[in-house]
Amino acid sequence: MSGLEVRLRKTFTGRKRSKFAVDVEFAVPAGVTVIFGPSGSGKTTILQCIAGLVNATSGHISIDGEPLFDSAKKLNMPAQLRHVGYVFQDLALFPHMTAAQNVAFGIRVNGNIRKQLVFDALEKFRIAHLSTHRPNEISGGERQRVALARTLVTHPRLLLLDEPFSALDDALKQEIIADLKKWLTRNNIPVVFVTHDRSEARALGERVLLLHEGKIVGEDSAGNL
């Protein structure tokens, strides 16, 4: 099957969350699927397991039929080999690097090709004029655009978005979502976008999975939220 397939269970053994577990099964075709739920419902845990940043307790995760994780077969592909793009809620930009250097970080080619890829990515998100600026020298919205450009310049086969727009005002949020939509129309890949904000889900999402206490309790279209 093309797209992302997820069947995972993640249990927590610490005293604070000893009774909590994420236990989900879903598939994500090309396009934007929203996982919508309140804080603490397990949204970020799901993304981290898909990306390979956290090990699921059991289950199976695959992209386009290629297994990334399979507990029964003791298979766990390292995160850096999964070719998955992840935009974190705190953006995780390198503070000592310029915008261009941040975007170039994940590119595996050198020379003029590398420079052109960086310029094209910055241009698509309308921040080419900020290429020499560091994160502390630009606005929150501009940092958001740098984070998206850095993630998408490598053309990942799957994009994970962990509430990256939550700190932005509505007008700026809509601008960046519009730019991201343009990129997605040219690059038809599965996207998993987690949020607890209904307006964000309606603006970017097509299909919504409702998450509550670690379990998917329903599915709907974004327009019905």
Side-chain angles (χ1 to χ4, degrees):
M1 175 186 172
S2 63
L4 171 70
E5 292 186 73
V6 176
R7 175 175 50 82
L8 72 84
R9 179 175 176 82
K10 174 64 179 177
T11 57
F12 295 86
T13 57
R15 287 183 298 172
K16 290 183 179 180
R17 304 189 77 178
S18 59
K19 295 182 180 179
F20 184 79
V22 173
D23 193 348
V24 296
E25 182 172 354
F26 60 92
V28 179
V32 181
T33 294
V34 176
I35 298 180
F36 181 83
S39 297
S41 59
K43 302 187 300 296
T44 295
T45 297
I46 292 170
L47 294 192
Q48 290 175 336
C49 288
I50 294 170
L53 303 178
V54 168
N55 291 333
T57 306
S58 62
H60 176 91
I61 302 169
S62 65
I63 301 177
D64 296 334
E66 180 184 6
L68 306 182
F69 173 83
D70 192 313
S71 57
K73 297 179 180 179
K74 301 187 184 305
L75 184 153
N76 189 13
M77 184 183 290
Q80 66 270 23
L81 299 181
R82 296 191 181 196
H83 199 39
V84 171
Y86 196 138
V87 181
F88 298 87
Q89 187 170 6
D90 64 1
L91 306 184
L93 296 176
F94 298 111
H96 62 289
M97 292 184 179
T98 64
Q101 289 168 337
N102 266 281
V103 172
F105 181 78
I107 301 175
R108 300 304 178 212
V109 295
N110 294 312
N112 290 333
I113 295 176
R114 182 188 181 96
K115 291 178 181 178
Q116 189 62 49
L117 288 171
V118 170
F119 176 80
D120 289 347
L122 293 171
E123 186 76 11
K124 283 185 177 72
F125 285 95
R126 296 187 281 178
I127 47 172
H129 61 292
L130 300 173
S131 63
T132 61
H133 291 63
R134 290 184 171 81
N136 67 344
E137 299 171 332
I138 58 180
S139 70
E142 290 162 346
R143 288 194 292 272
Q144 178 64 70
R145 292 176 187 273
V146 173
L148 284 168
R150 181 182 65 178
T151 300
L152 299 176
V153 71
T154 58
H155 292 281
R157 56 180 173 172
L158 168 70
L159 177 61
L160 307 175
L161 301 171
D162 190 358
E163 304 199 53
F165 312 119
S166 58
L168 305 179
D169 63 58
D170 287 341
L172 190 54
K173 188 183 300 184
Q174 293 306 316
E175 281 185 16
I176 295 177
I177 286 175
D179 287 342
L180 178 57
K181 279 184 169 181
K182 289 179 184 176
W183 188 92
L184 292 173
T185 60
R186 297 188 296 267
N187 300 268
N188 195 32
I189 63 171
V191 180
V192 183
F193 172 40
V194 306
T195 185
H196 63 270
D197 186 302
R198 292 177 187 274
S199 65
E200 288 182 10
R202 286 192 293 264
L204 187 57
E206 299 160 8
R207 166 177 171 247
V208 178
L209 302 177
L210 305 173
L211 189 71
H212 181 68
E213 295 184 352
K215 292 180 174 58
I216 293 172
V217 295
E219 180 176 341
D220 209 338
S221 64
N224 290 334
L225 280 180

